Amino acid sequence: MPREITAYSNPLIKWARDLRDKRHRKQSRQFLAEGLRILTEARETGRLPTLLFYAKPSAGHPLVRDLIKAVEASEGEAIETTPDILSKLSGKDNPQAVVGVFEELGVTLDELDRNASGIWLVAERLRDPGNLGTILRTGDAVGAGGLILVGECVDPFSVEAVRASMGALFTVPIVKTEWQPFLDWLRQGPGQLVGLSLDTDSDYRAARYAAPTFLLTGNEAHGMPAEYAAACDTLVKIPMLGKADSLNAAVATAVMAYEVLAQQRG
Amino acid sequence: MPREITAYSNPLIKWARDLRDKRHRKQSRQFLAEGLRILTEARETGRLPTLLFYAKPSAGHPLVRDLIKAVEASEGEAIETTPDILSKLSGKDNPQAVVGVFEELGVTLDELDRNASGIWLVAERLRDPGNLGTILRTGDAVGAGGLILVGECVDPFSVEAVRASMGALFTVPIVKTEWQPFLDWLRQGPGQLVGLSLDTDSDYRAARYAAPTFLLTGNEAHGMPAEYAAACDTLVKIPMLGKADSLNAAVATAVMAYEVLAQQRG
């Protein structure tokens, strides 16, 4: 039977609430994900929360019932609470029906099978959690093998990134690494490194993307360092017809990824 | 000479600060834009702020000096203030060098020349300011004729939307309208209405996009109403290979817009 917690001062609530803080996530290696849609998607990929919080009014919802059962059948715990506490856990005025605490995901480069997909996403020094989550969501949609985060990127397990990913962080493998280890690993096998750049005349539609293609997206404000661009097999640009000289990083990644997908599907 | 304001209690500061609030924007028909990059871009398109706030330490920056001169040469006023007050105006810990107050933009359907561009973006009930700004930024990049907002969309002049647009709200005409007036206007001339939909087998790369093409993107959570989809000349889908059934709205719009652009450029 789920236990009930209705006091915000309860230590477990406070502990879960603190997972909105990066340091606390790093120590505990757990993170928050919210919403029936995302938690159900997680479950379908075999991932269950270690703690599941749900609001009493939602207890009768069939998907909530299924989640409670699944969590209790595993090592997890289901906790009935109030909409107000859920709202505090999620930091939103209109709380989702459920909030889950999950163990952090993440794989190493050596665990990746580069031939498992024709498209891999690589982002360096990505700063915006919304962009990171959106790139994961796109990665899921194009069937990317994974998202490789190079250098000081924003935390993919922040509440904002998880939210923007719409559950894709459960389906797209995430690697955190640095530039040199990534490059060393890349050159141990097949794989074309394609960089988005302003300093090239090669249109992204004219280049050819053999599988596996690794798409490198640079920092939102500064793009990628010259050294990284020099290490790319191909640099391509997306046409910019207006006043601005760049697209949003998640948008640019998606435009590229769908071109690669279209070519590889013939 | 610019006047100096160093007290947060100054009525002008309070008035400008309140432009972060939608009701106040609606009454005054003015909005805030921040950052040297965006304000310089605005200036290059012939748009100057009615009020320009800059922090004393930035007064020597050549672009800030140019802005001050231009604002004072027009009907506007330049105001020297503190980084702390700038931070309060922009709502960010690390304030930009400048914050400007601009008169609201916006045109009507009848002011649009549909043959001025091959691509037009149409969004209905768009809820997220980041998505709206990002769509404007993409619209600038593909040379879209404008962004037509149908129904209850988020305010394009909110601080978050302006920020995400990276200045594109000064270069891409914005129309706010309702569905029926839009459809009536559309059918008075040439123009293909293309809707993104999950309920079609037509791949977006297989369809043909003659100029002018109007790309309709539906609400983030619910997509577009069946009635709107039925009014489209063409419904297309973007392939989704993963678990999720949709892309981020700004990403989907960009993937579509770049396909239209590629076709129209031959």
Side-chain angles (χ1 to χ4, degrees):
Chain A
M1 276 294 293
R3 78 170 139 147
E4 193 178 347
I5 300 182
T6 56
Y8 185 55
S9 57
N10 181 288
L12 195 61
I13 299 292
K14 198 184 165 327
W15 178 85
R17 171 72 181 71
D18 284 349
L19 288 176
R20 299 170 52 76
D21 180 68
K22 186 176 179 174
R23 266 171 313 181
H24 184 43
R25 281 200 302 278
K26 209 168 174 182
Q27 283 162 9
S28 65
R29 297 192 54 79
Q30 310 230 34
F31 69 98
L32 292 171
E34 58 190 334
L36 215 37
R37 180 170 164 172
I38 291 181
L39 265 66
T40 299
E41 196 147 299
R43 189 181 147 225
E44 285 169 4
T45 66
R47 304 265 326 184
L48 286 166
T50 53
L51 287 172
L52 172 73
F53 298 92
Y54 64 94
K56 204 165 186 169
S58 314
H61 191 296
L63 286 176
V64 176
R65 275 209 308 262
D66 287 353
L67 269 172
I68 294 171
K69 263 189 226 162
V71 167
E72 295 196 321
S74 73
E75 308 271 294
E77 187 181 3
I79 294 167
E80 188 167 283
T81 185
T82 65
D84 187 46
I85 286 180
L86 272 192
S87 175
K88 275 165 181 156
L89 286 177
S90 76
K92 282 171 92 177
D93 288 342
N94 299 309
Q96 301 275 0
V98 288
V99 173
V101 174
F102 289 84
E103 283 174 15
E104 269 198 18
L105 316 151
V107 292
T108 64
L109 287 168
D110 291 331
E111 292 174 90
L112 298 179
D113 171 11
R114 70 178 72 205
N115 297 311
S117 172
I119 311 178
W120 295 80
L121 305 179
V122 187
E124 68 100 10
R125 290 176 305 151
L126 202 69
R127 303 309 302 166
D128 185 85
N131 282 343
L132 198 156
T134 302
I135 288 175
L136 280 170
R137 189 174 175 187
T138 299
D140 174 87
V142 298
L147 172 62
I148 299 169
L149 298 172
V150 172
E152 270 298 307
C153 287
V154 67
D155 183 6
F157 304 110
S158 72
V159 173
E160 296 79 11
V162 173
R163 198 176 279 158
S165 86
M166 293 292 281
L169 92 161
F170 293 109
T171 60
V172 179
I174 301 170
V175 175
K176 295 188 206 175
T177 186
E178 298 296 329
W179 177 247
Q180 199 55 53
F182 164 66
L183 207 58
D184 292 346
W185 172 83
L186 179 71
R187 296 315 181 196
Q188 285 163 22
Q192 178 187 19
L193 184 59
V194 177
L196 267 166
S197 170
L198 305 173
D199 304 322
T200 175
D201 291 328
S202 305
D203 190 276
Y204 79 109
R205 302 270 294 206
R208 289 296 154 250
Y209 306 105
T213 283
F214 291 79
L215 288 178
L216 176 58
T217 308
N219 170 267
E220 288 96 337
H222 307 291
M224 69 187 72
E227 177 202 346
Y228 295 15
C232 288
D233 299 298
T234 314
L235 290 177
V236 295
K237 67 164 185 189
I238 296 175
M240 304 289 302
L241 273 58
K243 289 280 294 173
D245 62 2
S246 70
L247 290 164
N248 165 279
V251 160
T253 302
V255 170
M256 284 294 308
Y258 268 98
E259 175 59 24
V260 176
L261 181 67
Q263 287 192 19
Q264 293 185 353
R265 296 176 101 196
Chain B
M1 276 294 293
R3 79 169 137 147
E4 192 180 348
I5 300 182
T6 56
Y8 185 56
S9 57
N10 182 288
L12 195 60
I13 299 292
K14 199 185 164 326
W15 178 85
R17 171 71 182 71
D18 284 348
L19 289 176
R20 300 172 50 77
D21 180 69
K22 186 176 179 174
R23 266 171 312 183
H24 184 44
R25 281 200 302 277
K26 209 169 175 181
Q27 283 162 11
S28 65
R29 297 193 52 79
Q30 311 230 33
F31 69 98
L32 292 172
E34 57 189 337
L36 213 38
R37 180 171 165 172
I38 292 181
L39 265 67
T40 299
E41 196 147 299
R43 189 181 146 226
E44 285 170 4
T45 66
R47 304 267 324 186
L48 285 167
T50 54
L51 287 172
L52 173 73
F53 298 93
Y54 64 94
K56 205 165 186 170
S58 313
H61 190 296
L63 287 175
V64 176
R65 276 209 308 263
D66 287 354
L67 269 172
I68 294 171
K69 263 189 225 161
V71 166
E72 295 196 322
S74 73
E75 308 271 292
E77 186 180 4
I79 293 166
E80 187 168 285
T81 184
T82 66
D84 187 46
I85 287 179
L86 271 192
S87 176
K88 275 164 180 154
L89 286 176
S90 75
K92 282 171 92 176
D93 288 343
N94 300 308
Q96 302 275 0
V98 287
V99 173
V101 173
F102 289 85
E103 283 174 14
E104 269 197 17
L105 316 150
V107 292
T108 64
L109 287 169
D110 291 331
E111 292 174 89
L112 298 179
D113 170 12
R114 70 179 72 204
N115 297 310
S117 172
I119 309 178
W120 295 79
L121 305 179
V122 187
E124 67 100 10
R125 290 176 306 151
L126 203 68
R127 302 310 302 168
D128 184 86
N131 282 344
L132 198 156
T134 302
I135 288 174
L136 280 170
R137 188 173 175 186
T138 299
D140 173 86
V142 299
L147 171 62
I148 299 168
L149 297 172
V150 172
E152 270 299 307
C153 287
V154 67
D155 183 5
F157 304 109
S158 71
V159 174
E160 296 79 12
V162 173
R163 196 176 281 160
S165 86
M166 293 293 281
L169 92 160
F170 293 109
T171 61
V172 178
I174 300 170
V175 175
K176 294 187 204 177
T177 185
E178 299 296 329
W179 176 248
Q180 199 55 52
F182 164 66
L183 207 58
D184 292 346
W185 171 83
L186 179 71
R187 297 314 183 195
Q188 286 163 22
Q192 177 188 18
L193 184 60
V194 177
L196 266 166
S197 170
L198 305 173
D199 304 322
T200 175
D201 290 327
S202 304
D203 190 277
Y204 78 109
R205 302 270 293 207
R208 288 296 155 252
Y209 306 104
T213 283
F214 292 78
L215 287 178
L216 176 59
T217 307
N219 170 267
E220 288 96 336
H222 306 292
M224 69 187 72
E227 176 201 348
Y228 294 15
C232 287
D233 299 298
T234 313
L235 290 177
V236 294
K237 66 164 185 188
I238 297 175
M240 305 289 301
L241 274 58
K243 288 280 295 175
D245 62 3
S246 70
L247 289 166
N248 165 279
V251 160
T253 302
V255 170
M256 283 295 306
Y258 268 98
E259 174 61 22
V260 175
L261 181 67
Q263 287 192 18
Q264 292 184 353
R265 296 177 101 197

